Structure formats: C-alpha cells, structure tokens
Amino acid sequence: MRTARSIVSCICVLVASCQVDYHPYDTRVNGATGINARNIARIEAATQGRRQIRFAVISDTQRWYDETADAVAALNGRDDVDFVVHAGDMADFGMKAEFERMRDILDRLDMPYVAVIGNHDCLATGEDIFEEIFGDFDFAFTAGNVRFVCVNTNALEFDRDEPVPDFAFLERQVSEFPARAEKSVAVMHARPFSEQFDNNVARVFEYAVSSMPQLQFCINGHSHTYDVAEPFDDGVLYYGCENIAKRSYLLFTLYDDGYECEKVPF
C-alpha cells in the first residue's frame, strides 16, 4: 500500500511540474507591442509636407486569418498606398492569441498601419490586450495635411463606466489642432445609431465631430457591409467598410480640392 501511495505521489508531482501556465484570457503579450505609436511615427515622417495622400481601410477581420493574409498580399502588390487603417474587431472573443495572430499577419504589410478598437476587441480581457499591443483607445495623427481622429465608440461594451465616446478627447482635437493640418477625418468602429453607440449622446457627438476643421468624412466598420450614409443629414458622409471575409478594402485618396473613395476587391 505504501508503495502504491508513493507511485501516485510521484505521478502527481510529475504532472504538476509539467503543467503549462496558460489561459486563453491571459494578458501577458508575446511579441511586438506599441504598434500604433510606432507606425504613427512612420506615417507622419513619410507624409510630412504632402498635400495628397492615399490610404486603405480594412475592418472586422475576426477569425478570417486567411482572408486578412490575402488582403495584406494584395495591398503589398500596390506601390501607391501610404498606410492602412483597421477599423476594429481584430478579435472575436477578446483572446490574446487572436490579437497576436492578427498582429503578426498585419505586420507583414509593407506600409504602416494603425488599428482602432472594436466591440469584439473589448470582450473578456481584450481591452487590456488591445491597449498593450496597439495603444490608446482614442488617438490622433497627422498624415500630410490631414488630421486623423480615431475614437472609441463601443459604449455598450463599457457599460457607461466611463464616457464613450470621450468628448474631452474630441474637444482637445479641435482646440489643439496642429498647425500643419488643414483638414480632418474621423475614424471609429461603430457609427452613431448602431446598437453599440450610446445614442443618447449621438447629437452631441455630431456637434463634436463636425467641429473638427474641414471635416472630410467619417469611417466606420462594425456593420460588415459597404455603405455610405449621412446619419445626421448634415452633409457629413460615413463610409462603412465590409468585413474582410467579403474580400474587399476601401481606398481613399485625398487631394487639395476633395477626395475619392473606391471599394477594391481582392
């Protein structure tokens, strides 16, 4: 009996020593972090002084790794894209492995990219992981003479624990508008009047966003469909990007006297 107990004890010790300390919602990130800040520096340096820029938009890549890799290959096949904007939902369940795998695919882009946070990115420990890998939920940068204001609009996921959208952030984008910028573009995941947006403050959001100097248009993901809408009937268009499974991206070109938008299949 003693021998049997000894054998069982040894097995337990061996099993315990071989356990892998891992959980799908672990927040200890492997690989590159601070992606947005690093790529913003690249974008601003490469486009400084430019009066024409071209950028692509992809969105809602969750679970569609092969399609995202194909989009990266298609974009790398061009030589006229300055940077890429991901309009949110890299992850489906907010798991670390999802963010890391998607980051590693997007890191193959020849051009810099930035990512805004989507509602699925907020699930479980996703907020912490997104912040570690990509950076702040609200951020802005200047490409050429265009100020890009990227704002978290996933109010439903934050349960009103903090203001979403962050109107103080939006106000600063107006009061601290860079001298080198002449126009602006707003980027978000969920646009006003979607179920994620706090529509109690939709009109306040309209006022805040339309106060940005020479606002050209807004960009959003979330709906998984391509559409162009004018939710406030105020002349500001919102361009919705398809999910990546539909194998397309949006291509914007901003000129001195306007812009063009094209949906590009790949």
Side-chain angles (χ1 to χ4, degrees):
M1 181 67 71
R2 185 176 301 173
T3 303
R5 282 200 210 99
S6 299
I7 293 172
V8 171
S9 298
C10 289
I11 291 173
C12 290
V13 169
L14 287 171
V15 169
S17 65
C18 293
Q19 283 181 341
V20 177
D21 186 14
Y22 174 76
H23 188 279
Y25 295 109
D26 180 13
T27 58
R28 292 170 294 183
V29 171
N30 298 312
T33 59
I35 298 291
N36 282 352
R38 183 163 60 252
N39 282 338
I40 283 171
R42 292 174 60 195
I43 293 168
E44 293 189 333
T47 61
Q48 187 171 8
R50 296 256 302 276
R51 303 191 67 81
Q52 177 178 318
I53 61 169
R54 179 170 288 143
F55 69 97
V57 179
I58 60 175
S59 191
D60 298 270
T61 58
Q62 66 250 55
R63 292 181 289 119
W64 291 298
Y65 301 108
D66 291 342
E67 291 84 352
T68 305
D70 289 345
V72 167
L75 288 163
N76 285 345
R78 308 181 63 115
D79 61 0
D80 61 348
V81 177
D82 294 310
F83 59 93
V84 175
V85 172
H86 191 301
D89 275 0
M90 294 195 171
D92 202 17
F93 305 106
M95 294 191 298
K96 182 184 77 160
E98 295 179 291
F99 287 103
E100 291 174 342
R101 185 173 178 185
M102 193 57 66
R103 173 206 59 199
D104 292 346
I105 294 171
L106 294 173
D107 277 351
R108 300 174 199 161
L109 283 163
D110 292 338
M111 66 287 293
Y113 71 95
V114 297
V116 302
I117 192 167
N119 60 303
H120 281 263
D121 299 328
C122 298
L123 298 180
T125 55
E127 294 171 23
D128 294 332
I129 299 165
F130 181 94
E131 194 168 28
E132 178 74 12
I133 294 179
F134 296 102
D136 294 339
F137 301 152
D138 301 296
F139 61 95
F141 63 95
T142 304
N145 63 346
V146 184
R147 187 67 169 171
F148 286 79
V149 177
C150 304
V151 59
N152 172 26
T153 56
N154 305 292
L156 186 63
E157 303 305 328
F158 287 80
D159 197 28
R160 295 183 172 83
D161 288 339
E162 53 189 276
V164 176
D166 185 340
F167 289 107
F169 167 79
L170 290 172
E171 289 169 4
R172 288 195 302 274
Q173 301 317 303
V174 177
S175 63
E176 301 172 8
F177 200 74
R180 67 184 182 280
E182 300 172 8
K183 58 187 77 171
S184 55
V185 169
V187 184
M188 66 207 74
H189 180 65
R191 75 181 177 210
F193 304 116
S194 68
E195 86 293 344
Q196 276 290 325
F197 201 93
D198 180 2
N199 289 303
N200 294 314
V201 299
R203 289 292 175 182
V204 183
F205 181 80
E206 177 199 14
Y207 175 79
V209 169
S210 61
S211 297
M212 295 193 303
Q214 293 295 309
L215 178 65
Q216 301 296 292
F217 52 85
C218 299
I219 298 166
N220 67 270
H222 187 56
S223 68
H224 289 213
T225 59
Y226 169 69
D227 63 347
V228 184
E230 190 182 343
F232 297 107
D233 297 320
D234 60 353
V236 177
L237 298 180
Y238 285 66
Y239 289 85
C241 184
E242 288 184 333
N243 63 315
I244 205 71
K246 295 177 180 174
R247 304 184 68 84
S248 75
Y249 59 86
L250 299 184
L251 187 69
F252 288 90
T253 307
L254 286 98
Y255 308 98
D256 259 345
D257 57 354
Y259 70 90
E260 295 178 353
C261 175
E262 178 185 1
K263 188 181 83 163
V264 182
F266 62 86

